[in-house]
Amino acid sequence: MPVITTIDDFKPIYRRRVPKMFYDYAESGSWTEQTFRENTSDFDKIRLRQRVAVDMEGRTTESTMIGEPVAMPVALAPVGLTGMQHADGEIKAARAAEKFGVPFTLSTMSICSIEDVATHTSKPFWFQLYVMRDEEYVAALIQRAKDAGCSAMVLTLDLQILGQRHKDLKNGLTAPPKLTPATMLDLATKWRWGMEMLQTKRRKFGNIVGHAKGVTDASSLSSWTAEQFDPQLDWAKVAKLKEQWGGKLILKGILDADDARKAAEIGADAIVVSNHGGRQLDGALSSIRVLPSIVDAVGDKVEIHLDSGIRSGQDVLKALALGAKGTYIGRAFTYGLGAMGQRGVTTALEIIHRELDTTMALCGRKDVKTLDRDVLLVPKDFEGDWA
Ligand code: GLV
């Protein structure tokens, strides 16, 4: 087994182990993938201020996200089809997160159901909601998340319709994979994945199949979203969903200061500055680039989190220093999960933690909660001068 020292080290193993359609699903942005690429390349433009002769003893990465203690401010993002990256993937990722002391967010479009994850974990996790046209089904989903003891609802606002990811269409993405000559050829080289999948009963969208009425084939994410997701989701509906849920609410997919103000007005507990990992509006700015403008607009009114582009502890530090209170990793844990199951997710978290801790120390800081703009060197034109 190769020595894994960075998140990128998982990728070749992940690629070898997991069927192409699921690797491609995770590794895609929409259309030209400009936003997907810039989510990471914009992090690289920010540099760090090295400081010396500072006592580095007693460092801590502990903090809170929406009032919950976290070992480091890095939550696992909701990722659709996680249970196709590895058998029982959501349960494994949730257990790794729980052991590490960071939040796990279960996607509506997960393979393992809310109840399944609750049964196999002992701490509350967060539930991500996609709003469907069928109000009864949405109400039932919310109730299921309450019954499972979820401690926050993460309401995604940037996916009323699905951004086009070319590879998913070309690969004929479904869960489970439909057997065609191309998928069979691919699966023949992914026998370990196949053997593990055969040993679990969780191979369909667990929150949907058997729960949503009149669903005969929910295997295709693109058809399901096109038919079922609510294109009329607006701020009035968000306010209603907040009432319905009644608990901590995180609004995900905010990329504009005006929308951030709306989210704060509605009384969200946190907002996630996110462009959905570059999977929705291609051509949108990277999350890290818009973060400062959103912190300026609502930093004193609502807790701000950042998602999209985080692949290292240095990225985490940069986001925190620019004013985020928490961050999310999606692909970074998915690579680990696909490559090595639960152990891979734990290793991904350990890598990010080590990078965050060492970087913080070399920037002359001991406490992640005190990170501020002072530890960074940000190019003057970083945010861009857009008209
Ligand atoms: C959402 O589920 C996505 O595929 O981005």
Side-chain angles (χ1 to χ4, degrees):
M1 194 49 91
V3 180
I4 306 286
T5 58
T6 75
I7 294 298
D8 263 352
D9 286 345
F10 287 119
K11 263 170 125 176
I13 312 168
Y14 170 40
R15 188 170 208 157
R16 268 200 309 278
R17 271 195 67 125
V18 177
K20 182 176 182 317
M21 72 168 68
F22 302 120
Y23 176 88
D24 281 351
Y25 170 71
E27 263 318 86
S28 291
S30 52
W31 287 325
T32 70
E33 301 191 332
Q34 178 185 39
T35 301
F36 170 54
R37 288 190 299 277
E38 289 182 359
N39 275 338
T40 47
S41 62
D42 280 350
F43 268 107
D44 298 340
K45 292 182 184 140
I46 301 173
R47 304 294 159 78
L48 303 165
R49 272 182 80 198
Q50 172 176 301
R51 304 303 302 275
V52 296
V54 180
D55 176 4
M56 291 179 187
E57 272 291 286
R59 294 188 304 282
T60 178
T61 60
E62 286 176 16
S63 185
T64 56
M65 286 173 79
I66 55 159
E68 296 183 11
V70 291
M72 62 177 173
V74 180
L76 266 53
V79 177
L81 286 79
T82 296
M84 283 288 123
Q85 303 291 356
H86 196 283
D88 304 331
E90 289 89 358
I91 291 173
K92 294 198 165 129
R95 290 169 81 119
E98 176 173 318
K99 285 216 174 82
F100 203 91
V102 294
F104 171 76
T105 319
L106 183 74
S107 167
T108 293
M109 301 310 290
S110 58
I111 302 298
C112 303
S113 67
I114 303 173
E115 293 78 8
D116 251 351
V117 176
T119 306
H120 291 90
T121 50
S122 53
K123 279 197 215 143
F125 55 94
W126 297 351
F127 177 66
Q128 175 269 340
L129 180 73
Y130 277 131
V131 183
M132 317 277 174
R133 293 175 201 261
D134 181 348
E135 287 184 13
E136 251 180 69
Y137 171 64
V138 173
L141 257 183
I142 293 177
Q143 191 56 48
R144 287 169 61 195
K146 279 191 209 179
D147 293 345
C150 293
S151 57
M153 183 166 88
V154 179
L155 177 55
T156 299
L157 296 175
D158 61 1
L159 201 147
Q160 280 155 282
I161 55 170
L162 192 70
Q164 179 168 311
R165 302 108 193 220
H166 301 314
K167 286 177 231 154
D168 292 351
L169 297 177
K170 290 182 169 120
N171 290 331
L173 174 75
T174 56
K178 292 215 164 81
L179 294 181
T180 64
T183 58
M184 273 157 67
L185 205 64
D186 181 43
L187 286 173
T189 66
K190 310 286 164 52
W191 57 270
R192 212 153 114 186
W193 178 92
M195 298 287 285
E196 285 164 358
M197 274 299 163
L198 286 174
Q199 283 162 34
T200 179
K201 54 184 189 313
R202 305 177 186 100
R203 293 194 287 266
K204 293 184 178 163
F205 289 107
N207 293 325
I208 296 171
V209 177
H211 293 280
K213 273 193 243 113
V215 178
T216 46
D217 181 14
S219 63
S220 157
L221 180 70
S222 58
S223 349
W224 173 261
T225 47
E227 285 161 25
Q228 306 292 335
F229 280 30
D230 184 0
Q232 295 183 317
L233 176 62
D234 59 11
W235 288 110
K237 286 195 180 183
V238 172
K240 209 174 122 199
L241 288 159
K242 180 177 185 296
E243 288 289 299
Q244 249 175 298
W245 167 246
K248 295 254 172 87
L249 179 72
I250 302 174
L251 295 179
K252 177 168 178 283
I254 306 289
L255 210 61
D256 185 276
D258 286 342
D259 289 340
R261 282 185 204 100
K262 277 275 180 208
E265 255 167 49
I266 268 183
D269 294 278
I271 58 171
V272 189
V273 176
S274 169
N275 53 40
H276 214 106
R279 303 162 68 78
Q280 286 297 101
L281 180 62
D282 187 38
L285 292 179
S286 67
S287 295
I288 192 66
R289 205 162 187 184
V290 299
L291 177 64
S293 62
I294 293 187
V295 171
D296 280 351
V298 295
D300 56 344
K301 297 189 182 72
V302 64
E303 186 167 311
I304 298 173
H305 299 169
L306 179 130
D307 153 273
S308 304
I310 301 233
R311 305 285 187 274
S312 72
Q314 293 215 326
D315 296 339
V316 173
L317 177 133
K318 289 171 184 175
L320 298 176
L322 284 180
K325 178 95 194 286
T327 62
Y328 294 73
I329 50 169
R331 293 184 180 92
F333 90 79
T334 303
Y335 301 159
L337 179 74
M340 298 177 181
Q342 183 170 330
R343 189 162 56 88
V345 180
T346 301
T347 305
L349 289 167
E350 285 167 356
I351 288 170
I352 288 178
H353 181 261
R354 205 175 309 121
E355 290 166 342
L356 173 61
D357 178 55
T358 306
T359 308
M360 185 171 77
L362 295 174
C363 287
R365 296 296 178 91
K366 292 204 284 197
D367 185 344
V368 90
K369 296 183 287 302
T370 68
L371 289 170
D372 55 20
R373 180 69 181 68
D374 236 34
V375 301
L376 302 180
L377 296 165
V378 184
K380 289 214 170 72
D381 60 350
F382 182 66
E383 288 177 66
D385 187 13
W386 308 96

